[in-house]
Amino acid sequence: MSPIVAILLLVAGLSEAAGRLLPVVARLSGVSHVRVVGLLLAGALVDGAVFALWPLSAWAVAGLVLPTAPSDALVWTPGLAVPLVLAGVLAFPLLGPLLHLLLMVGVGAGLAGALAMVAGIDWWEAAGCVAIAGVGLGVSVEAVRRLVVKLNTRRAPEPVA
Amino acid sequence: MIGLALLLLLGGLGLVLIAEALLARYEVLVYAAGWRTPTISRPEGMSYARGADPDRPPDAYLVYLDGIGKRRFHDTRDGGRLVKALINRAPELRVLGQVQPYSPLAVPLADRPVWTWVRRRIGLLLFLHNVMQIFVAADRRYRPLYNRAVGAQIATELQVAGYRPDSGIPVVLLSYSGGAQVASGAVNELWAQLRTPLWLITLGGFHNGANDITHAQHLYQLTSAGDWIERVGTRIFPQRWRLFRWSGWNRADREGKITVHRLDPATHIGPRSYISPDARLPDGRSHLDRTTDTVLALIRDRLSLAADSDGPLP
């Protein structure tokens, strides 16, 4: 992985973590600024790592479902990774989740094209592999996120009568 | 050349929109994290409530939640006309108009240094900021926090103005435009803190219909065929569609809690708006007069019904 791609993925991770920050902080009433910054940086690393694993996971899925495993590994290029910097769009009121989904679908489509070329398979097959990898990683990281919040929660929000 | 200028303008506006949308939730974040306590400080000489004599309990408390023009404790020009008309014609009510519907921390935009600078140069951004706050208040992720913040703000304002929990004195939330999103969201917190008989009156209400208004006794929807802004709200928010049977709005509708009153041909804003003192009806009254009469008639009818019955009203 080139340094520029590594930096892009870290920034993308930070952007994604910032987009998800408020619901996390809301469960940690009375949390300090320092702790929030710490959570944000930890989230940036985890989300950046998940983004980094996406093409590798898609390539591994392709190896599992195809009769012959692709020879060259699928890796991020700056062109493929740069839209991920906009992951913070998730924070948008109301439209955030939809815009975030569209962004991920767009990036996934780019990855599918690259995988189709590397593995010499049909674009739709590649898109399936990318989607399975993306959903799998997404579900895993969400589970980790919930666990972190649960471990960090000192007090549940007061119930509204 | 014109095309390039337009492209630059749209690009610039797009960037401003993106920045504003991303920063809009900052105040809710500060509130949620507990980094700042909402303020109830007032400008020098400003009373906590107007209207009925503070030495004796009023017939009802009326809290006015203004539209997106609200950016200071004092009334806006249009909202102020309505508040003044209500105070002049209903001495039995205590009226609160200083609530900040678009600030979870209860800090008026006009009192913030950055926004003072913005107001002098790009005043339109203040409206945009308040529009974004409506969308933050409507967002599933931020709504519970926003509702709790503004509900607590209203409860505090009421108590400072003399309201006592469990006193049984009705509270009327009169909301204009986007204030309806905040008013419907404040219901649960107000009930939790004050156990008040609560009535909602929305005037051209722009809201997403997701808020649970079970603890409100009734909602009066003042609307008009000429109000396209309210109509946009009914179309862009799925919870306002009949299809979403279990949204707060549709449940309240099925329970018979919503009554529609038409104020045709009034518009949402402009010279023929609900609050216009110049636009005249065939009977000679201005739109402002009719809106004031309607609001007061609804409150007084409700008060007389409450006086005639011991239990909660339908």
Side-chain angles (χ1 to χ4, degrees):
Chain A
M1 188 188 294
S2 67
I4 187 88
V5 167
I7 290 165
L8 276 175
L9 291 178
L10 265 177
V11 173
L14 186 65
S15 180
E16 175 88 10
R20 294 185 182 276
L21 182 69
L22 180 51
V24 174
V25 168
R27 295 187 188 102
L28 308 172
S29 189
V31 67
S32 69
H33 289 72
V34 174
R35 198 138 165 257
V36 167
V37 172
L39 280 170
L40 192 62
L41 292 176
L45 286 173
V46 171
D47 287 327
V50 168
F51 287 144
L53 286 170
W54 193 5
L56 286 172
S57 309
W59 180 76
V61 171
L64 288 174
V65 298
L66 296 171
T68 52
S71 51
D72 295 333
L74 177 66
V75 290
W76 283 114
T77 61
L80 284 174
V82 77
L84 287 173
V85 170
L86 297 175
V89 79
L90 180 65
F92 257 58
L94 285 183
L95 294 176
L98 175 69
L99 294 172
H100 187 262
L101 177 70
L102 290 174
L103 178 71
M104 291 303 151
V105 167
V107 172
L111 271 181
L115 181 62
M117 216 183 313
V118 167
I121 54 174
D122 177 44
W123 188 88
W124 285 105
E125 288 175 328
C129 297
V130 168
I132 290 166
V135 170
L137 286 167
V139 169
S140 309
V141 79
E142 185 58 31
V144 169
R145 217 176 264 124
R146 282 168 192 252
L147 183 68
V148 167
V149 167
K150 198 172 177 180
L151 293 174
N152 276 278
T153 301
R154 279 179 295 181
R155 180 172 74 81
E158 307 139 36
V160 174
Chain B
M1 191 66 195
I2 292 171
L4 180 68
L6 189 68
L7 194 70
L8 285 172
L9 179 73
L10 286 174
L13 186 67
L15 286 173
V16 167
L17 269 170
I18 289 168
E20 174 54 45
L22 292 175
L23 294 171
R25 63 188 187 142
Y26 173 74
E27 227 179 304
V28 184
L29 173 71
V30 170
Y31 172 83
W35 293 338
R36 266 178 66 186
T37 311
T39 178
I40 57 155
S41 61
R42 288 287 156 279
E44 190 88 18
M46 186 178 184
S47 61
Y48 286 101
R50 289 167 285 172
D53 184 357
D55 296 333
R56 61 177 185 81
D59 288 358
Y61 283 79
L62 186 144
V63 181
Y64 178 66
L65 299 164
D66 210 342
I68 58 166
K70 184 75 171 178
R71 53 177 184 247
R72 45 173 57 95
F73 283 120
H74 292 289
D75 297 327
T76 57
R77 188 196 58 193
D78 289 354
R81 283 195 197 115
L82 179 60
V83 170
K84 280 192 187 76
L86 289 165
I87 291 168
N88 290 339
R89 295 191 210 174
E92 73 273 25
L93 302 178
R94 292 214 81 193
V95 181
L96 288 76
Q98 70 273 23
V99 171
Q100 300 299 307
Y102 311 110
S103 171
L105 295 171
V107 180
L109 272 186
D111 292 355
R112 306 181 204 182
V114 171
W115 285 101
T116 305
W117 184 90
V118 167
R119 192 177 76 241
R120 291 202 189 106
R121 286 156 185 85
I122 328 164
L124 187 68
L125 272 188
L126 275 73
F127 290 98
L128 178 64
H129 175 80
N130 286 348
V131 169
M132 281 297 171
Q133 290 304 308
I134 295 171
F135 291 134
V136 169
D139 188 297
R140 183 176 51 84
R141 299 163 295 171
Y142 315 138
R143 196 168 59 234
L145 295 163
Y146 199 102
N147 288 348
R148 196 188 304 174
V150 181
Q153 183 194 151
I154 297 170
T156 305
E157 294 281 359
L158 280 164
Q159 290 183 91
V160 168
Y163 193 90
R164 294 289 161 262
D166 296 308
S167 64
I169 297 175
V171 171
V172 183
L173 297 183
L174 170 62
S175 55
Y176 172 52
S177 190
Q181 178 67 47
V182 179
S184 57
V187 167
N188 279 343
E189 188 66 21
L190 280 172
W191 175 257
Q193 289 201 31
L194 306 178
R195 274 89 48 206
T196 166
L198 198 56
W199 312 330
L200 272 60
I201 301 176
T202 66
L203 179 62
F206 184 88
H207 63 99
N208 74 339
N211 287 320
D212 175 18
I213 54 170
T214 303
H215 292 302
Q217 289 188 358
H218 207 83
L219 184 147
Y220 297 98
Q221 183 186 6
L222 309 190
T223 185
S224 163
D227 184 349
W228 65 268
I229 292 177
E230 181 174 12
R231 220 164 33 248
V232 164
T234 64
R235 292 190 183 153
I236 64 171
F237 295 120
Q239 291 96 334
R240 299 287 303 273
W241 306 344
R242 289 248 173 262
L243 182 71
F244 284 73
R245 284 180 51 78
W246 296 106
S247 72
W249 179 256
N250 285 323
R251 270 185 292 132
D253 197 22
R254 273 201 309 282
E255 288 162 13
K257 279 193 172 181
I258 299 170
T259 309
V260 179
H261 290 266
R262 305 213 67 88
L263 298 179
D264 297 341
T267 55
H268 195 89
I269 46 171
R272 296 171 50 75
S273 78
Y274 297 109
I275 308 175
S276 169
D278 304 319
R280 296 276 156 193
L281 297 162
D283 64 6
R285 288 182 303 163
S286 69
H287 284 193
L288 174 63
D289 292 336
R290 180 184 53 181
T291 301
T292 308
D293 291 345
T294 307
V295 168
L296 292 180
L298 292 172
I299 294 171
R300 284 166 179 161
D301 287 354
R302 196 95 201 153
L303 283 169
S304 62
L305 272 173
D308 295 343
S309 72
D310 294 332
L313 293 167

